[in-house]
């Protein structure tokens, strides 16, 4: 009788642990699917603008806020509201899914590569939206890149001269 009770207790505890594990995995999967939906909303629109239009200017409009001025589409603002966990781009506004947070500032980075032949892109603008999952502690940043040749007239070298605010300190060259 004692052995039977011990076996029933072990099986019950194992079953309970299995149910909790499956439940936690289900929560992670649901949360990740919500994150993918959130990211896809912005990916479609930002990618379309980056590919189909040319950036003519890029200026800071406050903390975690930048105005992107396109040649055809005009001004679109990308803004990260860390208080309400909300991201804005143009006329799109989406709240981060539950269990996700912005863990830092909106990061813009400009890299120029020397020694690249004319008619090839020599500059890359990177927009990094820092997102982290509270459930898995994994980073799920959304990163966009815009490539251009700053030596050609259609992508002037002074495009990003107004971009002087670096949330990590210092200025962009």
């Amino acid at each position: 009788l004692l052995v039977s009770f011990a076996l029933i207790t072990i099986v019950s505890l194992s079953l309970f642990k299995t149910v909790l594990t499956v439940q936690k995995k289900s929560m992670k999967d649901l949360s990740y699917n919500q994150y993918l939906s959130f990211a896809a909303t912005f990916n479609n629109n930002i990618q379309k603008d980056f590919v189909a239009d040319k950036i003519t200017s890029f200026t800071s409009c406050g903390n975690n806020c930048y105005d992107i001025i396109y040649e055809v589409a005009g001004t679109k603002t990308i803004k990260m509201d860390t208080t309400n966990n909300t991201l804005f781009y143009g006329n799109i506004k989406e709240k981060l899914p539950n269990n996700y947070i912005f863990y830092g500032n909106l990061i813009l980075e400009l890299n120029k590569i020397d020694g690249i032949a004319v008619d090839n892109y020599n500059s890359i603008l990177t927009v990094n939206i820092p997102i982290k999952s509270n459930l898995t502690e994994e980073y799920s940043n959304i990163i966009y890149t815009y490539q251009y040749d700053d030596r050609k007239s259609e992508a002037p070298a002074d495009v990003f001269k107004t971009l002087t605010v670096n949330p990590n300190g210092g200025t962009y060259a």
Side-chain angles (χ1 to χ4, degrees):
L1 187 65
L2 187 58
V3 172
S4 295
F5 181 73
L7 285 173
I8 290 172
T9 303
I10 291 171
V11 169
S12 297
L13 290 175
S14 297
L15 196 59
F16 184 70
K17 185 176 176 183
T18 302
V19 167
L20 287 179
T21 302
V22 168
Q23 195 174 35
K24 187 173 181 179
K25 181 173 177 6
S26 176
M27 279 181 54
K28 286 180 187 178
D29 289 346
L30 178 62
S31 182
Y32 185 68
N33 286 339
Q34 291 171 342
Y35 163 78
L36 289 177
S37 176
F38 170 85
T41 300
F42 292 99
N43 288 348
N44 291 338
N45 290 284
I46 293 175
Q47 180 180 351
K48 183 176 81 175
D49 289 340
F50 276 19
V51 170
D53 211 342
K54 292 181 184 168
I55 294 176
T56 59
S57 182
F58 203 105
T59 59
S60 174
C61 57
N63 189 31
N64 290 319
C65 180
Y66 294 92
D67 284 331
I68 304 171
I69 296 110
Y70 293 98
E71 192 172 82
V72 176
T75 302
K76 292 195 177 182
T77 301
I78 185 166
K79 180 180 178 183
M80 197 173 78
D81 180 354
T82 55
T83 305
N84 297 313
N85 277 344
T86 307
L87 185 65
F88 302 83
Y89 177 73
N91 60 359
I92 301 168
K93 173 185 173 185
E94 288 284 325
K95 187 167 175 56
L96 268 176
N98 293 339
N99 302 313
Y100 281 89
I101 59 166
F102 295 118
Y103 68 88
N105 291 317
L106 184 62
I107 300 169
L108 288 98
E109 185 176 66
L110 181 62
N111 293 302
K112 289 188 178 187
I113 304 165
D114 294 326
I116 302 295
V118 178
D119 295 330
N120 292 312
Y121 296 136
N122 73 333
S123 298
I124 300 170
L125 170 75
T126 305
V127 179
N128 187 341
I129 302 167
I131 299 173
K132 183 178 180 181
S133 170
N134 285 336
L135 285 176
T136 62
E137 295 299 317
E138 292 178 0
Y139 297 96
S140 300
N141 295 0
I142 301 174
I143 300 172
Y144 302 103
T145 58
Y146 178 78
Q147 299 177 353
Y148 69 100
D149 185 347
D150 72 346
R151 300 162 293 192
K152 296 181 102 178
S153 60
E154 65 262 14
D158 65 347
V159 164
F160 300 104
K161 283 189 179 172
T162 56
L163 182 61
T164 56
V165 177
N166 181 340
N168 296 321
T171 59
Y172 294 100

